[in-house]
Amino acid sequence: MTVSTEGSAPVGPGRLLRSRGALLLLEAAVAFAGALALPLLALGFELDPLDRIAQVSGLAAIQFRFALLGLLFIAAVVLAMRLRGGRHFDLATRVSAAALAGLASGFVAAGAVLALHGTPWPMFGLNGDSGRIVEWAHAVANGQPSGSPVYPPAPLYTLGYYAEWFHGGNTAYAFKDLQILGAAAFGPLVYFAWRMLLSPLRALAFGVVPAFALIDAYKPYAQTVLVVLVPVLVAMVVALRRSGTENWRPLLLKAAGFGALLGVLFLTYSGWFLWSAAGVFFAAALYFPWKTGRLKGAAFMGATLAAFMAVAGRYLVVMLTEGQDTKDFNFRFDNFTDPAYYLMWRTDMPGNVGDWPLPGEFGGVGLFAIVTFVCLGVAIWLGLRKPLVVTIAAMFISAWLMRMYIASNMYETQTVQLYTRTNNQLLYCGMILAALVAHLVSQRLAQRRPAGTGAAADTGADTGADTATTGRGFPGREGAVIGTLCALLLLLGTVSSSMADRYMPAQDGSYRILPYVSHTIRQQNGKCPKFAPEHKCSKDGDQTWLTYIR
C-alpha cells in the first residue's frame, strides 16, 4: 500500500512516517534553539537591573534581537515562495512557525536573565514558594522526604539532581537556572503539544498565542503543565474516538504513550487534573466508540490508565490518601474579589491596584470578556460535533463548576483549597475557543470553495502546511501565511515584552518584588549581590513584601 502526495511520486507508509518524523525533529531543533538564543544573548548585557531606564533599555534590546531573528525566518518564507516554484514554501513555513514559538518564550526567559543579572539567587531567594521548593528539593536529592508529600515530586527531583550535576548540590542557585530554562522551554513545549492536533501556523496562532497570557518565569512548570495538558487531553479524546477502527498494535502503543505522558504531567503539577477531570470524563464518554468498536475503545482506555499508573500511580495514591488532610487556610488577594471574575490574575501580591476587578462597560463586564464569551458561543456553535471544541468547552465548564463549588464552601470550611488557580484554566480554555473561531470559519469557507480553486482545508492533521487559500476574490495562501507570520511576530513580541516587564525588579509589592528580593540577599560567600540597593543586603533579603499580604 502506498500513500501519494500531490506533485510527487507515491511514497510508502514507512518512508512517509520517517519523513514526518525528520520534519518534526527539525521543528524541535529550531524551536528550542530559538528559545535559547535570546537568553544567551542577554547574558552579555551590562545593565543595572534595578534601574528603570536600564530595564527599558534591556527590554528594547531584547525586542530588537527578537524582531531581527523573527524577520529573518519570515524572509526565508518569502524567498521560498519566490524560488524554485515555491516547492520549499511549506517547509519554510513549518520552520518559521516553530522558530517564533521558541523565540517568544525565549524573550521572557531573556527578561528573567536581565532581572536577575548580578545575583546568583532565584526569584524571591529563599522566601515563599521559592524557599520551600529549594528546601524540599535539597531534601529529596539527599534521600530524605520532602516537607510536603503531596507536592508534585517531578520539579523537586529535577531541581535536586540538576543542582548536584551543575551547582555542587546548591539547589538555591540551581533554581535560578531552571526558572530561566523553564520559561524558555514554554513556547516549544506548548507548540508541539498543539502540533498533535493542528498544522504549524494554526498551532502557533490558536495554541501558542493564548498560552502567553499565562507564561511564568517564577514557577514555570505549573503553567507549562496547563498549556500542554489541554491539547494532550484533546488529542487523547480524538484518538479514543478513532480507536474503534484502529489496528491493535498502534492502538495500544498510542494509548500507552498518552498514559505515560499524562503521568509525567501529573507528577509535575497535578492541580489542573482536578479541575479538568469531570469535563474530560464527559468528553470521553461522548466520543467513546460505542458503535464502531467497544472492545478496542475499552482497551485504549485500559492501556492509557495502566501506563499512567505505572508512571504516576504511587503519587496518585499519596494524593488520594494524604491529600484529603491537606488544608489551605491562606486567604489571598483574589479570595476577596468577585469569584466570577477570572480574566486576569494579579497574584497574591498585587501592590496598589485600586478597584478590582476593573469596572467594565456592560454591567461591570469589560469588552474583552464580552468578546470572549461571544466567541466561545460561536466556537461551540460551529464545532459542536468536533472533539477539539467540545473537550475544551467541557474542561472550561468543569473548572468553572469546581471553582464555584469550592468558593461556595469557603465560609463554612474557612479554607481556600487553591480555587483561584482555576483562573488560569478558565482563561486559557476560553481564549483557545475564541481563537478557534477563525479555524472553524476557515474550514467552513474551504468546504464552500468550488473544486479546483485551491488546496484542501486544514483539517488539523499533520499536513506540514497551512492551507489558507480561500475562494474567488481572495489572495493565495502564500500571502495569507506571510501576513499571519508578520502579525504573530508583532503580537508575540509585544506580549512577551509585557510578560518580561512584570519581572523587572521593583519594591512595589507586585511580581516585581520577587527579583527585587533576590538582589537584597547576602550571597553564600558573605558578599552582597552586585547591584544590591546602596550595597546593603541581609540573610533573608528585603521583607517589605510582607506588608502587601492581606
Side-chain angles (χ1 to χ4, degrees), residues 136-181:
W136 295 344
H138 181 77
V140 299
N142 288 277
Q144 302 171 358
S146 72
S148 174
V150 299
Y151 196 83
L156 304 181
Y157 281 96
T158 301
L159 175 56
Y161 289 119
Y162 179 89
E164 293 289 337
W165 296 334
F166 298 104
H167 285 274
N170 189 330
T171 52
Y173 288 4
F175 195 32
K176 173 186 174 180
D177 290 359
L178 293 188
Q179 286 177 335
I180 295 169
L181 292 173

Side-chain angles (χ1 to χ4, degrees), residues 426-494:
L426 291 169
L427 177 60
Y428 186 46
C429 290
M431 291 181 67
I432 293 170
L433 290 172
L436 285 176
V437 170
H439 172 67
L440 296 169
V441 169
S442 68
Q443 285 188 323
R444 292 299 179 105
L445 290 174
Q447 291 172 0
R448 292 173 178 270
R449 186 188 314 130
T453 62
D458 178 5
T459 60
D462 181 13
T463 59
D466 290 85
T467 53
T469 308
T470 56
R472 297 190 183 101
F474 286 90
R477 71 184 182 96
E478 292 85 358
V481 168
I482 295 169
T484 301
L485 286 172
C486 290
L488 292 178
L489 175 68
L490 291 172
L491 177 58
L492 286 170
T494 305

Side-chain angles (χ1 to χ4, degrees), residues 49-50 52 55 59 105 107-117 122-124 179 183 212-220 223 345 347 349 495-506 508 510-519:
L50 274 69
R52 183 55 186 169
Q55 294 172 4
L59 290 171
S105 58
F107 193 134
V108 179
V113 171
L114 173 60
L116 296 173
H117 176 56
M123 291 187 186
F124 221 19
Q179 286 177 335
F212 269 74
L214 306 176
I215 189 170
D216 182 10
Y218 177 43
K219 293 190 298 181
Q223 308 306 331
W345 188 48
T347 79
M349 296 186 299
V495 171
S496 297
S497 183
S498 175
M499 300 306 282
D501 185 39
R502 70 173 182 165
Y503 294 107
M504 292 298 115
D508 63 357
S510 69
Y511 250 173
R512 298 173 186 269
I513 196 69
L514 303 179
Y516 181 88
V517 170
S518 306
H519 289 276

Side-chain angles (χ1 to χ4, degrees), residues 342-343 360-377 434:
Y342 66 87
L343 296 165
E361 300 82 7
F362 179 72
V365 178
L367 180 61
F368 174 77
I370 295 172
V371 171
T372 301
F373 296 149
V374 170
C375 289
L376 189 150

